[in-house]
Amino acid sequence: MHILHDLSSVGHKFHGGVITIGNFDGLHLGHQMLLKKALALGKPLAVLTFAPHPVQVLYPERGLRCLFPREDLYERMPDFGVDVLAVLPFDRELASWSAQRFLQDCVWRPFAPQHIVAGYDFAFGKSREGTLQGLREWGRTKAVNIHQIEPLMLGGEIVSSRRIREALAAGRVEDVRLCLGRPFYLRGQIVSGAGRGESLGFPTLNQQVINESYPARGVYATYTLHKRQRYRSVTNIGINPTFGGQELKFETHLLNASIDLYGQSVDVEFIAFLRPELQFSDVEGLKKQIANDILKANEALDRDCP
């Protein structure tokens, strides 16, 4: 897969193919359905996306947080047959372009596609003036086939990045996994901590997370991934209120291994929510609860085994 940050470098070799356009935040099952239908057209497949997310530029007051680091798209898109991933820098100047200018300069000139595959809510150009109907009219002038994809429904609701962010903020990582088609994960380097977990008899990996989004504070059954190895684990997201903490920390205890990962980058996959964050009156109460968390984490991970 070719990753491009400049549309002038696309080249004629990708003309006459299929293109789809969007943010693809999380690359959830709805996105995957769209990509699969685009791939089924049997032409080279290009994806045009934006960085940063347009909402973060146009409406910073909303505090939108993307689900995964940008690298997630780079790693996952090849699995869906994507030949070109064009990451267009998004700013207020681009946002001011008319729908017609966007189609001419960002779609037709670099890609000259034979097909455009668009989601049910696709809109583009200044103030989202470009509609699916307008896209179809433009497509007729260029002999470009426009394919509209209907929303994917799960549990009576549309699968969307907003739905996933809301479930994540509530700690419903099982629901998040259903919509993503894979577990949500946090990525980051293991850094030094206070050593409190080790003093309690439960040493932890302290992760410096690079994700913008993360699950609600609490304890979770997780898997920790490093260099293609997958370790059972239990993860706490919180401020350590028992010890008067104030800084949010991401601490993971490995259940079936004792290895030094200091300075290494790991992914922590969230499988099941176990309990909310609690404050204990003494250390012994905390230790008993951690032992119980480990028991419940193992039970949850046993159920997760195919």
Side-chain angles (χ1 to χ4, degrees):
M1 183 181 76
H2 299 269
I3 301 174
L4 306 177
H5 298 275
D6 180 0
L7 293 181
S8 66
S9 62
V10 172
H12 294 287
K13 61 183 176 180
F14 295 115
H15 285 192
V18 185
I19 187 170
T20 185
I21 306 162
N23 296 306
F24 297 94
D25 185 17
L27 199 56
H28 56 61
L29 289 179
H31 297 142
Q32 294 174 32
M33 180 178 72
L34 185 150
L35 291 173
K36 288 174 183 177
K37 293 196 175 183
L39 184 64
L41 293 170
K43 300 286 185 178
L45 174 57
V47 171
L48 178 60
T49 189
F50 309 95
H53 194 294
V55 171
Q56 293 175 321
V57 173
L58 299 175
Y59 308 101
E61 69 279 4
R62 295 184 185 178
L64 183 140
R65 297 177 175 181
C66 292
L67 290 166
F68 293 113
R70 178 63 50 179
E71 290 74 18
D72 185 73
L73 280 185
Y74 302 162
E75 296 164 2
R76 296 278 294 171
M77 282 292 187
D79 294 341
F80 297 94
V82 176
D83 297 291
V84 181
L85 176 62
V87 184
L88 195 60
F90 190 89
D91 54 23
R92 288 187 176 272
E93 180 184 353
L94 180 60
S96 71
W97 287 13
S98 68
Q100 286 298 315
R101 182 181 178 185
F102 176 81
L103 287 172
Q104 179 64 27
D105 291 354
C106 296
V107 178
W108 183 251
R109 185 172 295 158
F111 295 102
Q114 185 177 343
H115 303 274
I116 296 177
V117 180
Y120 70 98
D121 58 349
F122 180 64
F124 58 98
K126 183 180 180 180
S127 302
R128 295 173 63 85
E129 67 181 16
T131 63
L132 275 166
Q133 181 57 36
L135 182 63
R136 291 190 184 95
E137 293 172 0
W138 174 86
R140 282 193 288 270
T141 69
K142 300 289 189 181
V144 177
N145 300 301
I146 309 300
H147 307 264
Q148 179 182 341
I149 305 300
E150 295 304 314
L152 177 66
M153 308 293 290
L154 276 181
E157 293 183 64
I158 295 174
V159 173
S160 68
S161 299
R162 172 189 282 186
R163 174 180 171 181
I164 294 168
R165 281 193 289 269
E166 290 175 352
L168 193 65
R172 300 195 307 271
V173 295
E174 297 92 337
D175 293 342
V176 171
R177 182 179 185 177
L178 284 175
C179 293
L180 289 175
R182 54 175 169 150
F184 178 82
Y185 69 85
L186 292 177
R187 175 169 294 178
Q189 189 179 47
I190 301 304
V191 298
S192 59
R196 191 174 291 122
E198 189 167 5
S199 68
L200 294 172
F202 305 99
T204 58
L205 305 174
N206 298 276
Q207 191 181 26
Q208 191 172 55
V209 168
I210 64 173
N211 300 59
E212 295 177 4
S213 295
Y214 41 81
R217 284 157 56 172
V219 179
Y220 299 84
T222 58
Y223 286 109
T224 298
L225 282 64
H226 178 252
K227 292 185 177 179
R228 299 185 180 181
Q229 295 296 315
R230 199 165 185 241
Y231 304 97
R232 285 181 170 225
S233 51
V234 59
T235 297
N236 179 74
I237 299 176
I239 60 172
N240 293 326
T242 302
F243 300 98
Q246 294 183 338
E247 179 185 357
L248 188 68
K249 294 183 180 297
F250 304 85
E251 301 171 302
T252 295
H253 172 67
L254 300 182
L255 301 181
N256 58 347
S258 178
I259 54 176
D260 182 10
L261 293 175
Y262 179 76
Q264 301 294 308
S265 180
V266 303
D267 290 350
V268 176
E269 293 183 341
F270 287 75
I271 304 303
F273 176 79
L274 301 180
R275 66 169 175 85
E277 184 175 43
L278 302 172
Q279 183 171 355
F280 297 88
S281 58
D282 55 49
V283 172
E284 287 305 312
L286 174 59
K287 290 171 67 175
K288 289 180 180 178
Q289 182 60 61
I290 293 174
N292 189 54
D293 293 339
I294 290 173
L295 177 65
K296 290 188 176 299
N298 272 313
E299 291 174 351
L301 296 174
D302 285 342
R303 291 193 297 270
D304 188 61
C305 288

